[in-house]
Amino acid sequence: MPTSPTARRTRRRAGATALTAALVAALAAPVLPAHAANPIVTNIYTADPAPLVVGNTMYIYAGRDEAATGVNNFVMREWRVFSSTDAANWTDRGARANIGTFPWAGADAWASEVEERNGRYYWYTSINGNGPGWMNIGVAVGDSPLGPFTDAKGGPLISDSTPNSSGLNIDPTVFTDDDGQAYIYWGGYWGPRAAKLKSNMIELDGAVVTPTGLTNFWEAPWMFKRNGLYYMIYAANDTNGCVTNSNYACQRYATATNPLGPWTHRGVVLDQVSSTTNHAGVVEFNGQWYMVYHNANAPGGGNFRRSVAVDRLYFNADGTMQKVVQTTTGPPPNPGPGGPGQPPSGTNLAPSATAGTSHVSAWESLAAINNGGVPANSQDRGNLAYGNWPQQGTQWIEYTWPSARSINRVAAYWFDDNQGIDLPASCQVQYWNGSSYVAVPGQSACGVAGDTYNVTTFNTVSTTRLRLSITSRPGLSTGVLEWMAFQS
């Protein structure tokens, strides 16, 4: 979507009939793998992403930027779908809706979102109608996340004629609360709006209201709920801690205890991106929260040739959101419990032990090694991290139990801060035999790989103390994100 008012007012009308044949053909596009990196796909340009989780799959619904190089306007005629079972490797499912899906519309396939209700999938879109006014919000419906989708109303759900509509009726986000009540939020030109939806999901239920407390709102609201608290993220373009140039935008967020507010502004959750527009969505998938957004980072990209990116999102203990770190690698694979990259199965005795070490850096934490964290990779600081910088050579961590435990396997997830702490050169598992530490019998190779749980097996030992001896690479120190010890 445009950011500047000048760009916003550039109206592009085109006859739906002339476009329909070409666009319908796009719906049959082949399924193509996308990149496991940011942006998630680079063979086309995509924008305004909206995530949806269904079972073990995350879907992203996005518009397609088709403007040629040198065209400084939005050329958007279809919406595409991408899917992933690990939030890292994406498959392009092709165009699943376009402006021809809505016979009453003629141009501008802008931001959209899909919401599931009673086994049906409602696709709320920003689209330019052929009637009076400019942008409208339409609704298509399908019986699966991939459709096929058809127009659900035969006309717009929201238009300029809707009482108290926004100055620009775009960017719908729909949220269904625990009691089954659905809400729709939308708006641009500094005009946020909200309303209840009837259970049929295609009619407003009552008056349109103007939410309060969304400080510096510009456009692109996204609503979700976590631990009983409502969150709204949205694009802002102020220069009060958001951006240095108001042609760009950041993502601010607010919270509320009621789905219609009032809202309390909390801060910036995503800094400005490389495109002038900034549009994002938030979703939890396989126990991890993610933010999807767009930027101009794909080859040949720009303000009118944007691309979808995905990164992890973290919350503080008080429910506030940490600012998203924008990456070019994207998140590591997250296939869910028991999958690759997940903790080994078995009874982990580490949480019941008292941890000790030869040295821990003042700014790191020994508690990291047995706090039950699940690292996403060796650079993950989403949980605590243990490091022994500036010590070099051989250092150790150990567990002590009040009585003997029978153990035959450990798993170490190494910490690498890309600075003074690096993956170790070697390691050895030792146990207390009553008078000294000795190597566990029958020990398999002690792995030193990054971004994974390095499992070491050995003959069962009964002991009150277990130690991991770690030898660093020359000139470096070592660290651990999690060390598990399994009951035999």
Side-chain angles (χ1 to χ4, degrees), residues 14-23 77 99 106:
T17 301
L19 290 165
T20 299
L23 293 172
R77 300 179 294 177
I99 59 176

Side-chain angles (χ1 to χ4, degrees), residues 349-360 365-371 386 388 395-401 407 410 412 414 428-433 435-438 463-470 480 482-485:
L349 300 172
S352 64
T354 299
T357 184
S358 55
H359 180 80
V360 60
S365 175
L366 179 60
I369 68 173
N370 64 341
N371 71 347
Y386 159 83
N388 51 47
Q395 301 294 316
W396 51 263
I397 55 176
E398 69 178 12
Y399 289 143
T400 301
W401 291 271
I407 306 169
V410 298
W414 304 111
Q428 184 186 62
V429 183
Q430 302 171 333
Y431 79 106
W432 184 256
N433 66 4
S435 59
S436 63
Y437 272 108
V438 296
T463 185
T464 58
R465 296 161 68 180
L466 196 70
R467 176 174 286 187
L468 182 61
S469 178
I470 313 165
V480 176
E482 195 74 15
W483 185 39
M484 308 174 75

Side-chain angles (χ1 to χ4, degrees), residues 24-42:
V24 168
L27 295 176
V31 173
L32 299 172
H35 297 276
N38 275 336
I40 65 170
V41 60
T42 57

Side-chain angles (χ1 to χ4, degrees), residues 196-235:
K196 291 182 179 180
L197 286 172
K198 293 183 178 180
S199 60
N200 63 14
M201 302 295 281
I202 61 172
E203 294 180 90
L204 301 185
D205 187 8
V208 173
V209 300
T210 302
T212 61
L214 300 179
T215 302
N216 295 317
F217 176 94
W218 166 246
E219 62 182 9
W222 178 274
M223 169 78 166
F224 67 99
K225 187 178 184 180
R226 176 182 179 270
N227 293 342
L229 189 65
Y230 301 91
Y231 291 77
M232 182 78 75
I233 67 171
Y234 55 91

Side-chain angles (χ1 to χ4, degrees), residues 52-64:
L52 174 71
V53 172
V54 181
N56 67 346
T57 302
M58 186 199 302
Y59 296 90
I60 292 177
Y61 300 82
R64 179 183 177 187

Side-chain angles (χ1 to χ4, degrees), residues 132-370:
W134 186 12
M135 295 300 294
N136 304 284
I137 293 175
V139 190
V141 65
D143 292 326
S144 85
L146 297 176
F149 290 91
T150 58
D151 184 15
K153 281 184 66 68
L157 169 65
I158 296 165
S159 68
D160 287 351
S161 63
T162 302
N164 194 36
S165 64
S166 174
L168 189 60
N169 294 305
I170 58 170
D171 301 350
T173 178
V174 174
F175 165 78
T176 304
D177 210 347
D178 301 331
D179 61 2
Q181 177 62 60
Y183 301 83
I184 185 169
Y185 310 79
W186 74 97
Y189 284 164
W190 307 283
R193 296 294 186 265
K196 291 182 179 180
L197 286 172
K198 293 183 178 180
S199 60
N200 63 14
M201 302 295 281
I202 61 172
E203 294 180 90
L204 301 185
D205 187 8
V208 173
V209 300
T210 302
T212 61
L214 300 179
T215 302
N216 295 317
F217 176 94
W218 166 246
E219 62 182 9
W222 178 274
M223 169 78 166
F224 67 99
K225 187 178 184 180
R226 176 182 179 270
N227 293 342
L229 189 65
Y230 301 91
Y231 291 77
M232 182 78 75
I233 67 171
Y234 55 91
N237 64 352
D238 63 279
T239 56
N240 184 26
C242 174
V243 294
T244 57
N245 182 330
S246 60
N247 287 323
Y248 287 81
C250 70
Q251 285 284 325
R252 292 189 175 275
Y253 81 103
T255 61
T257 56
N258 183 287
L260 292 176
W263 296 89
T264 300
H265 176 254
R266 298 297 185 185
V268 175
V269 66
L270 181 70
D271 288 327
Q272 75 177 51
V273 295
S274 51
S275 59
T276 52
T277 54
N278 195 331
H279 192 115
V282 170
V283 71
E284 184 181 19
F285 179 66
N286 286 345
Q288 172 67 55
W289 287 87
Y290 295 89
M291 177 173 283
V292 302
Y293 57 99
H294 67 227
N295 56 36
N297 289 0
N303 294 330
F304 307 99
R305 292 172 301 283
R306 300 158 295 179
S307 295
V308 171
V310 180
D311 276 308
R312 290 170 294 168
L313 169 68
Y314 294 100
F315 292 81
N316 297 312
D318 62 359
T320 56
M321 300 164 74
Q322 297 179 20
K323 190 176 289 187
V324 170
V325 176
Q326 300 176 43
T327 73
T328 58
T329 58
N334 176 13
Q342 297 300 295
S345 59
T347 302
N348 179 21
L349 300 172
S352 64
T354 299
T357 184
S358 55
H359 180 80
V360 60
S361 307
W363 52 90
E364 308 292 6
S365 175
L366 179 60
I369 68 173
N370 64 341

